């Protein structure tokens, strides 16, 4: 399939984010068709709850809703802007996304391990360490932190609002469970934010 049937926004998002992590155009189109990817347009001052989803700032300006108070002029130094050259500063929700994908991989691996070792009642040291990972990871992340990766709500703080591409984590995890190449590509995405 060619890129010509995609909108300008779709092509730009694919080129800047998804092609870079190794996603094929067919996989990208599947994500759009399955509504795993959805465009959201925000007016000035409008808030959006990330709900542990990953978001890409396509255009405009956004900031953490809990720490910013937008002025009517739309100028605020704590706003993240789409004109920023670093792609990582335009992706939000990567820590909850990484945590959710790690837990999904752990659960998938654990399921396979249980099915393959029925009768072996003594867990190995590796299994014991892996069992403690999700709880340990959860204790390291606080929703009250001001880190950009832990933002729960975004506010459009630019005078023209903002356009976001939301990536639904639950839908994506379901697709990643059946497609190892998609999973490998999407695991690379949070690395852009470092």
């Amino acid at each position: 399939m060619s890129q010509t049937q995609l909108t300008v926004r779709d092509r730009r998002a694919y080129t800047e984010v998804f092609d870079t992590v190794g996603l094929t155009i067919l996989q990208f189109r599947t994500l759009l068709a399955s509504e795993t990817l959805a465009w959201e347009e925000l007016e000035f001052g409008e808030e959006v709850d990330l709900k542990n989803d990953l978001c890409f700032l396509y255009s405009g300006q956004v900031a953490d809703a809990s720490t910013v108070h937008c002025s009517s002029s739309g100028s605020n130094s704590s706003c993240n802007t789409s004109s920023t050259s670093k792609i990582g500063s335009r992706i939000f929700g990567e820590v909850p996304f990484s945590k959710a994908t790690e837990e999904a991989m752990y659960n998938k691996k654990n399921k396979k391990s249980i099915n393959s070792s029925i009768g072996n009642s003594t867990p190995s040291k590796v299994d014991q360490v892996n069992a403690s990972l999700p709880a340990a990871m959860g204790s390291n992340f606080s929703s009250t932190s001001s880190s950009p990766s832990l933002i729960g709500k975004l506010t459009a703080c630019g005078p023209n609002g903002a356009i976001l591409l939301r990536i639904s984590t639950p839908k994506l995890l379901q697709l990643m469970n059946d497609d190892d190449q998609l999973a490998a590509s999407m695991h690379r995405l949070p690395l852009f934010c470092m």
Side-chain angles (χ1 to χ4, degrees), residues 113-151:
S113 173
I114 289 171
N115 290 337
S116 65
S117 66
I118 295 178
N120 181 4
S121 61
T122 308
S124 70
K125 288 200 184 268
V126 172
D127 290 335
Q128 290 171 355
V129 170
N130 285 341
S132 67
L133 281 177
M137 287 174 57
S139 66
N140 290 333
F141 302 123
S142 166
S143 61
T144 60
S145 170
S146 61
S147 168
S149 58
L150 297 175
I151 294 173

Side-chain angles (χ1 to χ4, degrees), residues 48-65:
V48 62
D49 187 353
L50 295 182
K51 301 176 186 166
N52 292 328
D53 287 344
L54 203 55
C55 285
F56 167 65
L57 176 61
Y58 174 78
S59 69
Q61 295 176 325
V62 295
D64 181 350

Side-chain angles (χ1 to χ4, degrees), residues 3 5-6 13 15 20 28 41 45 59 63 86 88 100 103 126 130-131 135 147 150 153 155 168-169 174 189:
Q3 271 187 303
Q5 297 172 348
L6 300 173
T15 302
T20 310
F28 180 73
E41 295 185 23
S59 69
K86 187 178 178 222
E103 287 176 356
V126 172
N130 285 341
S147 168
L150 297 175
K153 289 185 180 182
T155 299
S168 170
T169 300
Q174 191 174 27
L189 189 55

